[in-house]
Amino acid sequence: MSGPEFCPSPRRIRRGAALTLVFVTVLATAAATNALPREGEGEHPRALAVHPAGATVVQEAVARAAAEAVAEGKSGAKAAEEVVSRSGDRWGAVYDQQEYEKFQQALDGEYTGVGLWARRSGDGRVEVYKVQPGGPADRAGIRAGDRLHAIDGRVVDDRPVTDVVALLRGKDRTTVALGLERAGRDWTRTLTRTTLSTESVTVQKLKGGAVMIKVAAFTRGSGARVREAVRAAPDGAGVLLDLRGNAGGLVTEAVAAASAFLDGGLVATYDMRGKQRALHADPGGDTERPVVALVDGGTMSAAELVTGALKDRGRAVTVGSRTFGKGSVQMPSTLPDGSVAELTVGHYRTPSGQSVDGQGITPDLAADEGAEEQAQSVLSGLGTGS
């Protein structure tokens, strides 16, 4: 397991995030080309003050605590998590083997479930707002707008949506009973969970010839799909790049996505134990067509990396609300019991040198209500080839 990770949420969020497609990010290419520092290289910068003695000391303490616990017949993951919780590392986390396997599955753009998305409606009820075509829920006749009031006999009205999603997910080929309501009629369906693919990149044609490319997460292959969507757009047509709610993904895929709009050059810099590194776009991207990037408080991690690159390079007008502010780098390591610890070892900056962690990125045009309409208006003003 090599390479650092830009991870999207703290441990308290991650329990549900593994089930709601919040992604860790891996600098696999940099590791493969030896661009990342080896263990022990360099000094520990003060910016990484997650522990008075630096991240390496925390890593050693975590490994030692896990090894001692395993030797005593206790949970190495639990012991490691106690050390991490005391370290002051906001983004540090420990995952058991099953949790980490779910992350790996998510990075492949897959999840195990029934193919429906739930949300809290305006009246406080839990409802189905999207059904994946061809999935178990779709085949059972469940539709967007159906009320979901129970899962396996447990009432979900007062549960957080993350808990609802966790109950829907599970192991492949297991069953789950859903209590539903439609037009005042209660009914129950028992579904069999299966492994489903997510649609990380979707394309929609807009009025005037422009296209909207929605990137839900930077899973494997999403960067190439963004580039394909840009190339397939009509000549001169503007692109609305929707990164709202994108909690991150593979950094290599984020760089590939940014490369669709750049002809080489800097995407971001990052530090690891005092060593400065850089991420560069691939040459040959479309540098002519107008681009507007739509962001919000759910735009995180690798999605902020793309936002910062396009904004600082003058390649896109950014519209929406301030992004989340997750710009730290985590390094994963395997513990004696097979669990995985991730600890902060660095931070990244946008091409202009702006730190993202804890600050986020302020868009060029602030917009909350009607942000998509405003973004389309800006794009139209830039010229869409219509």
Side-chain angles (χ1 to χ4, degrees), residues 139-164:
R139 294 195 300 270
I142 298 172
R143 298 291 178 261
D146 289 345
R147 180 189 176 191
L148 178 62
H149 59 76
I151 300 176
D152 284 333
R154 286 173 280 192
V155 177
V156 298
D157 287 338
D158 296 327
R159 287 177 176 265
V161 173
T162 51
D163 287 358
V164 174

Side-chain angles (χ1 to χ4, degrees), residues 75-361:
S75 170
K78 184 176 181 180
E81 191 167 345
E82 290 176 355
V83 174
V84 173
S85 67
R86 295 194 301 267
S87 71
D89 185 349
R90 181 188 178 195
W91 302 103
V94 179
Y95 304 91
D96 62 31
Q97 288 178 293
Q98 185 177 8
E99 287 176 323
Y100 210 73
E101 286 173 2
K102 288 178 180 177
F103 274 130
Q104 297 305 309
Q105 185 184 43
L107 289 172
D108 286 326
E110 297 180 341
Y111 71 100
T112 301
V114 296
L116 68 78
W117 285 259
R119 68 180 175 188
R120 185 76 60 186
S121 64
D123 60 4
R125 304 187 309 173
V126 177
E127 69 176 12
V128 177
Y129 81 91
K130 183 180 177 181
V131 177
Q132 184 162 336
D138 182 35
R139 294 195 300 270
I142 298 172
R143 298 291 178 261
D146 289 345
R147 180 189 176 191
L148 178 62
H149 59 76
I151 300 176
D152 284 333
R154 286 173 280 192
V155 177
V156 298
D157 287 338
D158 296 327
R159 287 177 176 265
V161 173
T162 51
D163 287 358
V164 174
V165 174
L167 291 171
L168 290 170
R169 303 291 171 86
K171 293 183 179 180
D172 192 28
R173 311 311 302 170
T174 58
T175 60
V176 58
L178 306 184
L180 300 139
E181 178 189 322
R182 181 189 299 169
R185 180 177 66 88
D186 291 336
W187 50 298
T188 302
R189 285 289 184 273
T190 298
L191 309 180
T192 300
R193 299 181 179 96
T194 188
T195 299
L196 299 165
S197 297
T198 60
E199 297 179 7
S200 59
V201 179
T202 55
V203 181
Q204 176 185 346
K205 292 183 179 179
L206 302 175
K207 292 181 180 180
V211 296
M212 180 166 68
I213 303 174
K214 167 70 175 177
V215 187
F218 289 108
T219 56
R220 289 187 177 92
S222 59
R225 287 192 285 275
V226 171
R227 297 197 71 153
E228 290 168 3
V230 173
R231 289 169 180 163
D235 291 342
V239 170
L240 177 57
L241 182 64
D242 188 355
L243 298 175
R244 291 174 298 176
N246 184 322
L250 291 161
V251 167
T252 48
E253 299 296 341
V255 172
S259 299
F261 306 99
L262 301 168
D263 186 15
L266 191 63
V267 172
T269 60
Y270 64 97
D271 62 84
M272 279 188 60
R273 304 192 180 100
K275 297 289 185 178
Q276 294 297 314
R277 311 291 179 181
L279 298 168
H280 293 92
D282 296 327
D286 189 322
T287 60
E288 299 299 325
R289 67 175 74 244
V291 182
V292 170
L294 187 55
V295 300
D296 64 6
T299 304
M300 303 167 64
S301 193
E304 291 176 285
L305 185 149
V306 174
T307 303
L310 298 183
K311 183 175 187 287
D312 284 5
R313 297 279 302 273
R315 190 60 193 91
V317 176
T318 50
V319 177
S321 51
R322 183 189 293 270
T323 63
F324 184 83
K326 170 49 173 83
S328 57
V329 184
Q330 281 68 46
M331 179 73 77
S333 59
T334 303
L335 301 177
D337 62 352
S339 57
V340 176
E342 290 180 341
L343 298 172
T344 300
V345 295
H347 296 83
Y348 76 84
R349 295 177 179 272
T350 68
S352 67
Q354 178 188 349
S355 175
V356 176
D357 203 49
Q359 301 181 44
I361 297 172

